[in-house]
Amino acid sequence: MQFQLAYSELQWSDLQFVLQGLWRTILLTVLAGVFGTLLGGVIGWARESSAAARHLLAPYVDVTRSIPLIIQFILINSAFAAFGSALEPLEIGVLTLSLYMAVLTSELVRSGLRSVRPELKKASRSLGMSYWQELRLVSMPLAVRTVFPGWIGTLIGLTKDTALVSVVGYIELLRAAQILITRTNEALLLLTGVGVAYFLICYPISHYSLAVERRMEA
């Protein structure tokens, strides 16, 4: 016996469903980007300024960078569920992506701080600056100029990585499109629309970053 799938056409109400997925993608990107950047900045500074912190945080950095992100979603979701503290899909997504973003940002921050010439640090301290003054007024501004292009690339990558959160039940942009494809069989149209939507999110970030870089160099 053969079964034939019954497809239905796209409707105007489907647009609202896709826009909700788009909003969830943007929300997840913003939350994970902010939390991950803040945490990564602290971790990067700690690993660069303290040998003890470097060795203590090395397992977290190495493990997070080595395990595929989709597996991290599943492991973190399963771990909370096993301890009876199941989180919402959005919470799992923000937590996992923030930890992942933090690792990538921390390595950028480390490289940025290392790029500051030791002579500048010594000159600042000889002028009477404390460690924190030198870090805030000299090292950090110079490091930010070095790190900024790489951080923008990391943020754009994070935006695309939000598509993996669907593995724990979060309906973001791509997952919303997949659900509609199953019902309508309009794969080409919907995936083209999803691609355009990701472009509209990522291109302004990339374009604006160029203006910021020019301002930094001026």
Side-chain angles (χ1 to χ4, degrees):
M1 181 181 297
Q2 294 182 346
F3 295 92
Q4 185 174 3
L5 293 176
Y7 296 109
S8 60
E9 295 182 353
L10 286 170
Q11 304 170 3
W12 282 109
S13 59
D14 295 331
L15 178 60
Q16 181 180 0
F17 183 61
V18 173
L19 291 177
Q20 288 177 347
L22 175 62
W23 162 245
R24 289 175 177 176
T25 292
I26 295 173
L27 176 64
L28 187 56
T29 300
V30 171
L31 292 177
V34 170
F35 294 144
T37 298
L38 294 176
L39 179 60
V42 174
I43 293 174
W45 163 77
R47 295 192 72 208
E48 179 60 23
S49 59
S50 170
R54 183 161 53 251
H55 292 300
L56 184 64
L57 293 169
Y60 158 59
V61 173
D62 293 338
V63 169
T64 304
R65 293 175 65 185
S66 302
I67 297 178
L69 187 54
I70 191 170
I71 296 178
Q72 295 182 40
F73 284 119
I74 297 172
L75 291 177
I76 292 178
N77 185 48
S78 300
F80 277 98
F83 286 103
S85 303
L87 299 180
E88 294 294 324
L90 175 61
E91 296 171 331
I92 291 294
V94 171
L95 176 60
T96 306
L97 286 174
S98 295
L99 293 175
Y100 182 72
M101 179 73 175
V103 166
L104 301 181
T105 302
S106 70
E107 293 301 287
L108 291 173
V109 170
R110 282 186 65 197
S111 65
L113 291 174
R114 284 187 176 183
S115 69
V116 180
R117 291 187 299 171
E119 294 83 0
L120 292 176
K121 297 180 181 180
K122 293 177 181 178
S124 302
R125 299 301 294 273
S126 67
L127 292 174
M129 289 186 182
S130 66
Y131 170 79
W132 297 108
Q133 288 176 322
E134 182 277 322
L135 180 66
R136 180 171 59 90
L137 299 174
V138 179
S139 292
M140 285 304 297
L142 293 174
V144 167
R145 291 177 59 180
T146 303
V147 165
F148 186 72
W151 178 80
I152 288 295
T154 303
L155 183 62
I156 291 175
L158 178 74
T159 303
K160 293 178 286 187
D161 287 336
T162 57
L164 299 175
V165 190
S166 61
V167 75
V168 294
Y170 188 70
I171 302 178
E172 39 65 58
L173 177 59
L174 182 58
R175 181 55 182 158
Q178 289 174 334
I179 292 173
L180 292 179
I181 289 171
T182 301
R183 200 199 77 208
T184 66
N185 199 31
E186 294 284 355
L188 181 60
L189 176 62
L190 287 167
L191 290 180
T192 299
V194 168
V196 171
Y198 276 113
F199 174 80
L200 293 177
I201 296 173
C202 296
Y203 178 74
I205 297 174
S206 177
H207 184 72
Y208 180 70
S209 70
L210 294 177
V212 175
E213 284 184 59
R214 284 194 291 266
R215 231 175 290 148
M216 288 180 177
E217 294 173 356

